[in-house]
Amino acid sequence: MRILQLMARAGGGVPAHVRQIVDLLTDAGHSVLVAGPADTVCRYPDRAEVEIGSSPSKDDLRAIRKISQLAAEFDVVHAHGLRAGALACLADTGAAKVVVTLHNKPVGSRAVRLVGSVLLRIIAAKADTVLGVSPDLVEWATSAHAQRSELALVPAPSRGIGKAQRFLDATGLGNTPIILQVARLSVQKGLDLFLAALHRVNVPYQAVIIGDGPEHSRLEKLAEGTDVHFLGRRDDIADALAAASVFVSTAGWEGQPVAIQEALIAGVPVVATDVGGTSVVTGKDGALLVPRDPEQIAEAITSLLQDAAKRASAAKRARAAASRLPSPAQVLDSLLRIYSLNRSAPRRAER
């Protein structure tokens, strides 16, 4: 099968997800071309440059023409995100099926949300299948009368078994229990909430935040009075997980968060805000799911840090949840099924 993967300029989970499925499809013998902005697709050997920014621009007409030209050579155009998805749907894709994966909802001003709704209507009217990385995105697509809408499967990357002491030696951290957060330093990830919760944790700890982003300076100021280490982007996540006593996610919204999947696989007790598709990843008892309230987050963290038996039980439940995560083979089978669906099938939502 010949598949065009299309994405706009993006950070965080979108490029990681595209990389995962490109590797799966390529390893299975399918022909895959990745198209998008030059700085987004530069690492792919088989790529095409299509300038798709994060907001509407004069480049959009040029992008639509380029997508139309590329689509003539493919069986499937799989676009990621509202912007890439809408442009793919406006292009002349000929016989190629169009699949769109929604990775998030637009947030911000009323105008931004309105544009997002317009883009969704274009996608719902034209795409053969709309995938959502969380149940609320599937419902959003269904409400816009998408021909088909279902939950996308997101596999966790395998980083191997980490070594706690190697992480401690590399960072100079001591033996005080580590509270770990791995996230882009952006508003969506709710790190201000994490820091507010840390101010309420009343047992010994050292907190580690791995990741970078536009909120760095503001968060460092909010962290004053807490034992927090901002370590930036790192490649030794497996080692960090091996050293952690608790993994925490305080996001305002998530799809199927890869960082939480990795924590579950490593058997680290997880405290996470119950938002978006987080519970899809953790199940009902794979993590302590809490509201976006600093008191309750602090209480959950404290209860784990001060009770070794409770941590051991939480680690066991985390590994059990990890065993239920979709395998790469399941993700590949799901993609190929979606790519092969009959275009004339009746409209319905699948979960």
Side-chain angles (χ1 to χ4, degrees), residues 131-152:
L131 304 175
V133 298
S134 64
D136 57 331
L137 290 177
V138 176
E139 292 293 343
W140 193 39
T142 302
S143 70
H145 308 293
Q147 177 165 305
R148 292 188 188 91
S149 53
E150 60 179 277
L151 190 68

PDB file of all heavy atoms in Angstrom, residues 131-152:
ATOM      1  N   LEU A 131     -10.015   9.883  13.099  1.00  0.00           N
ATOM      2  CA  LEU A 131      -9.554   9.250  14.324  1.00  0.00           C
ATOM      3  C   LEU A 131      -9.322  10.320  15.386  1.00  0.00           C
ATOM      4  O   LEU A 131      -8.903  11.436  15.071  1.00  0.00           O
ATOM      5  CB  LEU A 131      -8.253   8.487  14.081  1.00  0.00           C
ATOM      6  CG  LEU A 131      -8.269   7.428  12.975  1.00  0.00           C
ATOM      7  CD1 LEU A 131      -6.870   6.842  12.786  1.00  0.00           C
ATOM      8  CD2 LEU A 131      -9.274   6.341  13.296  1.00  0.00           C
ATOM      9  N   GLY A 132      -9.572   9.979  16.637  1.00  0.00           N
ATOM     10  CA  GLY A 132      -9.281  10.882  17.746  1.00  0.00           C
ATOM     11  C   GLY A 132      -8.390  10.176  18.742  1.00  0.00           C
ATOM     12  O   GLY A 132      -8.602   8.990  19.030  1.00  0.00           O
ATOM     13  N   VAL A 133      -7.400  10.879  19.293  1.00  0.00           N
ATOM     14  CA  VAL A 133      -6.498  10.237  20.245  1.00  0.00           C
ATOM     15  C   VAL A 133      -7.094  10.173  21.645  1.00  0.00           C
ATOM     16  O   VAL A 133      -6.476   9.616  22.552  1.00  0.00           O
ATOM     17  CB  VAL A 133      -5.123  10.935  20.279  1.00  0.00           C
ATOM     18  CG1 VAL A 133      -4.432  10.847  18.934  1.00  0.00           C
ATOM     19  CG2 VAL A 133      -5.247  12.380  20.741  1.00  0.00           C
ATOM     20  N   SER A 134      -8.296  10.716  21.819  1.00  0.00           N
ATOM     21  CA  SER A 134      -8.998  10.605  23.096  1.00  0.00           C
ATOM     22  C   SER A 134     -10.494  10.499  22.816  1.00  0.00           C
ATOM     23  O   SER A 134     -10.971  10.923  21.756  1.00  0.00           O
ATOM     24  CB  SER A 134      -8.717  11.824  23.991  1.00  0.00           C
ATOM     25  OG  SER A 134      -9.233  12.998  23.393  1.00  0.00           O
ATOM     26  N   PRO A 135     -11.249   9.932  23.765  1.00  0.00           N
ATOM     27  CA  PRO A 135     -12.689   9.765  23.530  1.00  0.00           C
ATOM     28  C   PRO A 135     -13.426  11.064  23.258  1.00  0.00           C
ATOM     29  O   PRO A 135     -14.372  11.094  22.463  1.00  0.00           O
ATOM     30  CB  PRO A 135     -13.177   9.108  24.832  1.00  0.00           C
ATOM     31  CG  PRO A 135     -11.986   8.382  25.349  1.00  0.00           C
ATOM     32  CD  PRO A 135     -10.813   9.265  25.008  1.00  0.00           C
ATOM     33  N   ASP A 136     -13.013  12.172  23.910  1.00  0.00           N
ATOM     34  CA  ASP A 136     -13.724  13.431  23.684  1.00  0.00           C
ATOM     35  C   ASP A 136     -13.511  13.948  22.259  1.00  0.00           C
ATOM     36  O   ASP A 136     -14.394  14.581  21.685  1.00  0.00           O
ATOM     37  CB  ASP A 136     -13.323  14.489  24.720  1.00  0.00           C
ATOM     38  CG  ASP A 136     -11.835  14.768  24.762  1.00  0.00           C
ATOM     39  OD1 ASP A 136     -11.053  13.860  24.445  1.00  0.00           O
ATOM     40  OD2 ASP A 136     -11.441  15.879  25.143  1.00  0.00           O
ATOM     41  N   LEU A 137     -12.355  13.652  21.659  1.00  0.00           N
ATOM     42  CA  LEU A 137     -12.134  14.041  20.266  1.00  0.00           C
ATOM     43  C   LEU A 137     -12.970  13.184  19.318  1.00  0.00           C
ATOM     44  O   LEU A 137     -13.452  13.677  18.291  1.00  0.00           O
ATOM     45  CB  LEU A 137     -10.653  13.911  19.905  1.00  0.00           C
ATOM     46  CG  LEU A 137      -9.717  14.933  20.571  1.00  0.00           C
ATOM     47  CD1 LEU A 137      -8.271  14.647  20.194  1.00  0.00           C
ATOM     48  CD2 LEU A 137     -10.095  16.358  20.198  1.00  0.00           C
ATOM     49  N   VAL A 138     -13.151  11.916  19.659  1.00  0.00           N
ATOM     50  CA  VAL A 138     -14.039  11.067  18.854  1.00  0.00           C
ATOM     51  C   VAL A 138     -15.464  11.610  18.909  1.00  0.00           C
ATOM     52  O   VAL A 138     -16.148  11.714  17.880  1.00  0.00           O
ATOM     53  CB  VAL A 138     -14.004   9.608  19.362  1.00  0.00           C
ATOM     54  CG1 VAL A 138     -14.999   8.745  18.581  1.00  0.00           C
ATOM     55  CG2 VAL A 138     -12.603   9.028  19.217  1.00  0.00           C
ATOM     56  N   GLU A 139     -15.904  11.998  20.103  1.00  0.00           N
ATOM     57  CA  GLU A 139     -17.249  12.574  20.240  1.00  0.00           C
ATOM     58  C   GLU A 139     -17.362  13.884  19.471  1.00  0.00           C
ATOM     59  O   GLU A 139     -18.404  14.172  18.867  1.00  0.00           O
ATOM     60  CB  GLU A 139     -17.567  12.806  21.727  1.00  0.00           C
ATOM     61  CG  GLU A 139     -17.727  11.535  22.540  1.00  0.00           C
ATOM     62  CD  GLU A 139     -18.955  10.743  22.140  1.00  0.00           C
ATOM     63  OE1 GLU A 139     -19.855  11.307  21.484  1.00  0.00           O
ATOM     64  OE2 GLU A 139     -19.025   9.544  22.475  1.00  0.00           O
ATOM     65  N   TRP A 140     -16.317  14.677  19.487  1.00  0.00           N
ATOM     66  CA  TRP A 140     -16.309  15.952  18.763  1.00  0.00           C
ATOM     67  C   TRP A 140     -16.491  15.708  17.269  1.00  0.00           C
ATOM     68  O   TRP A 140     -17.299  16.384  16.605  1.00  0.00           O
ATOM     69  CB  TRP A 140     -15.004  16.680  19.044  1.00  0.00           C
ATOM     70  CG  TRP A 140     -14.960  18.121  18.636  1.00  0.00           C
ATOM     71  CD1 TRP A 140     -15.960  19.037  18.749  1.00  0.00           C
ATOM     72  CD2 TRP A 140     -13.837  18.814  18.073  1.00  0.00           C
ATOM     73  NE1 TRP A 140     -15.533  20.264  18.289  1.00  0.00           N
ATOM     74  CE2 TRP A 140     -14.239  20.159  17.878  1.00  0.00           C
ATOM     75  CE3 TRP A 140     -12.544  18.445  17.744  1.00  0.00           C
ATOM     76  CZ2 TRP A 140     -13.394  21.121  17.339  1.00  0.00           C
ATOM     77  CZ3 TRP A 140     -11.684  19.404  17.217  1.00  0.00           C
ATOM     78  CH2 TRP A 140     -12.100  20.727  17.011  1.00  0.00           C
ATOM     79  N   ALA A 141     -15.762  14.732  16.733  1.00  0.00           N
ATOM     80  CA  ALA A 141     -15.892  14.408  15.311  1.00  0.00           C
ATOM     81  C   ALA A 141     -17.276  13.847  15.000  1.00  0.00           C
ATOM     82  O   ALA A 141     -17.887  14.181  13.978  1.00  0.00           O
ATOM     83  CB  ALA A 141     -14.814  13.398  14.912  1.00  0.00           C
ATOM     84  N   THR A 142     -17.783  13.006  15.892  1.00  0.00           N
ATOM     85  CA  THR A 142     -19.116  12.434  15.695  1.00  0.00           C
ATOM     86  C   THR A 142     -20.182  13.522  15.680  1.00  0.00           C
ATOM     87  O   THR A 142     -21.098  13.510  14.852  1.00  0.00           O
ATOM     88  CB  THR A 142     -19.431  11.411  16.798  1.00  0.00           C
ATOM     89  OG1 THR A 142     -18.439  10.377  16.785  1.00  0.00           O
ATOM     90  CG2 THR A 142     -20.799  10.787  16.602  1.00  0.00           C
ATOM     91  N   SER A 143     -20.041  14.504  16.583  1.00  0.00           N
ATOM     92  CA  SER A 143     -21.026  15.598  16.653  1.00  0.00           C
ATOM     93  C   SER A 143     -21.019  16.454  15.394  1.00  0.00           C
ATOM     94  O   SER A 143     -22.009  17.114  15.074  1.00  0.00           O
ATOM     95  CB  SER A 143     -20.750  16.469  17.881  1.00  0.00           C
ATOM     96  OG  SER A 143     -19.545  17.214  17.724  1.00  0.00           O
ATOM     97  N   ALA A 144     -19.875  16.434  14.678  1.00  0.00           N
ATOM     98  CA  ALA A 144     -19.786  17.189  13.422  1.00  0.00           C
ATOM     99  C   ALA A 144     -20.206  16.338  12.227  1.00  0.00           C
ATOM    100  O   ALA A 144     -20.061  16.756  11.080  1.00  0.00           O
ATOM    101  CB  ALA A 144     -18.362  17.694  13.219  1.00  0.00           C
ATOM    102  N   HIS A 145     -20.729  15.129  12.518  1.00  0.00           N
ATOM    103  CA  HIS A 145     -21.256  14.218  11.488  1.00  0.00           C
ATOM    104  C   HIS A 145     -20.166  13.658  10.580  1.00  0.00           C
ATOM    105  O   HIS A 145     -20.340  13.555   9.364  1.00  0.00           O
ATOM    106  CB  HIS A 145     -22.345  14.908  10.659  1.00  0.00           C
ATOM    107  CG  HIS A 145     -23.428  15.521  11.482  1.00  0.00           C
ATOM    108  ND1 HIS A 145     -24.308  14.775  12.234  1.00  0.00           N
ATOM    109  CD2 HIS A 145     -23.751  16.831  11.706  1.00  0.00           C
ATOM    110  CE1 HIS A 145     -25.131  15.583  12.875  1.00  0.00           C
ATOM    111  NE2 HIS A 145     -24.816  16.838  12.578  1.00  0.00           N
ATOM    112  N   ALA A 146     -19.037  13.293  11.180  1.00  0.00           N
ATOM    113  CA  ALA A 146     -17.993  12.615  10.426  1.00  0.00           C
ATOM    114  C   ALA A 146     -18.523  11.292   9.892  1.00  0.00           C
ATOM    115  O   ALA A 146     -19.343  10.632  10.535  1.00  0.00           O
ATOM    116  CB  ALA A 146     -16.776  12.366  11.307  1.00  0.00           C
ATOM    117  N   GLN A 147     -18.058  10.910   8.701  1.00  0.00           N
ATOM    118  CA  GLN A 147     -18.525   9.655   8.096  1.00  0.00           C
ATOM    119  C   GLN A 147     -18.207   8.465   8.994  1.00  0.00           C
ATOM    120  O   GLN A 147     -19.045   7.603   9.225  1.00  0.00           O
ATOM    121  CB  GLN A 147     -17.870   9.442   6.729  1.00  0.00           C
ATOM    122  CG  GLN A 147     -18.265   8.118   6.069  1.00  0.00           C
ATOM    123  CD  GLN A 147     -17.919   8.074   4.600  1.00  0.00           C
ATOM    124  OE1 GLN A 147     -18.331   8.950   3.840  1.00  0.00           O
ATOM    125  NE2 GLN A 147     -17.157   7.083   4.195  1.00  0.00           N
ATOM    126  N   ARG A 148     -16.992   8.412   9.489  1.00  0.00           N
ATOM    127  CA  ARG A 148     -16.598   7.419  10.487  1.00  0.00           C
ATOM    128  C   ARG A 148     -15.738   8.119  11.518  1.00  0.00           C
ATOM    129  O   ARG A 148     -14.904   8.954  11.170  1.00  0.00           O
ATOM    130  CB  ARG A 148     -15.758   6.276   9.884  1.00  0.00           C
ATOM    131  CG  ARG A 148     -16.459   5.345   8.942  1.00  0.00           C
ATOM    132  CD  ARG A 148     -15.527   4.172   8.617  1.00  0.00           C
ATOM    133  NE  ARG A 148     -16.087   3.338   7.555  1.00  0.00           N
ATOM    134  CZ  ARG A 148     -15.833   3.523   6.269  1.00  0.00           C
ATOM    135  NH1 ARG A 148     -15.046   4.509   5.884  1.00  0.00           N
ATOM    136  NH2 ARG A 148     -16.377   2.727   5.374  1.00  0.00           N
ATOM    137  N   SER A 149     -15.882   7.762  12.769  1.00  0.00           N
ATOM    138  CA  SER A 149     -15.009   8.307  13.808  1.00  0.00           C
ATOM    139  C   SER A 149     -14.735   7.209  14.819  1.00  0.00           C
ATOM    140  O   SER A 149     -15.641   6.487  15.225  1.00  0.00           O
ATOM    141  CB  SER A 149     -15.642   9.527  14.490  1.00  0.00           C
ATOM    142  OG  SER A 149     -16.929   9.235  14.970  1.00  0.00           O
ATOM    143  N   GLU A 150     -13.471   7.076  15.184  1.00  0.00           N
ATOM    144  CA  GLU A 150     -13.102   6.061  16.167  1.00  0.00           C
ATOM    145  C   GLU A 150     -11.819   6.452  16.873  1.00  0.00           C
ATOM    146  O   GLU A 150     -11.124   7.389  16.464  1.00  0.00           O
ATOM    147  CB  GLU A 150     -12.970   4.680  15.534  1.00  0.00           C
ATOM    148  CG  GLU A 150     -11.938   4.556  14.445  1.00  0.00           C
ATOM    149  CD  GLU A 150     -11.875   3.138  13.905  1.00  0.00           C
ATOM    150  OE1 GLU A 150     -11.191   2.309  14.536  1.00  0.00           O
ATOM    151  OE2 GLU A 150     -12.500   2.865  12.857  1.00  0.00           O
ATOM    152  N   LEU A 151     -11.529   5.725  17.928  1.00  0.00           N
ATOM    153  CA  LEU A 151     -10.359   6.023  18.743  1.00  0.00           C
ATOM    154  C   LEU A 151      -9.091   5.529  18.058  1.00  0.00           C
ATOM    155  O   LEU A 151      -9.016   4.381  17.609  1.00  0.00           O
ATOM    156  CB  LEU A 151     -10.497   5.352  20.117  1.00  0.00           C
ATOM    157  CG  LEU A 151      -9.477   5.736  21.194  1.00  0.00           C
ATOM    158  CD1 LEU A 151      -9.671   7.180  21.615  1.00  0.00           C
ATOM    159  CD2 LEU A 151      -9.616   4.801  22.393  1.00  0.00           C
ATOM    160  N   ALA A 152      -8.100   6.403  17.968  1.00  0.00           N
ATOM    161  CA  ALA A 152      -6.799   6.015  17.434  1.00  0.00           C
ATOM    162  C   ALA A 152      -6.039   5.222  18.489  1.00  0.00           C
ATOM    163  O   ALA A 152      -6.136   5.507  19.688  1.00  0.00           O
ATOM    164  CB  ALA A 152      -5.997   7.261  17.051  1.00  0.00           C
TER     165      ALA A 152
END
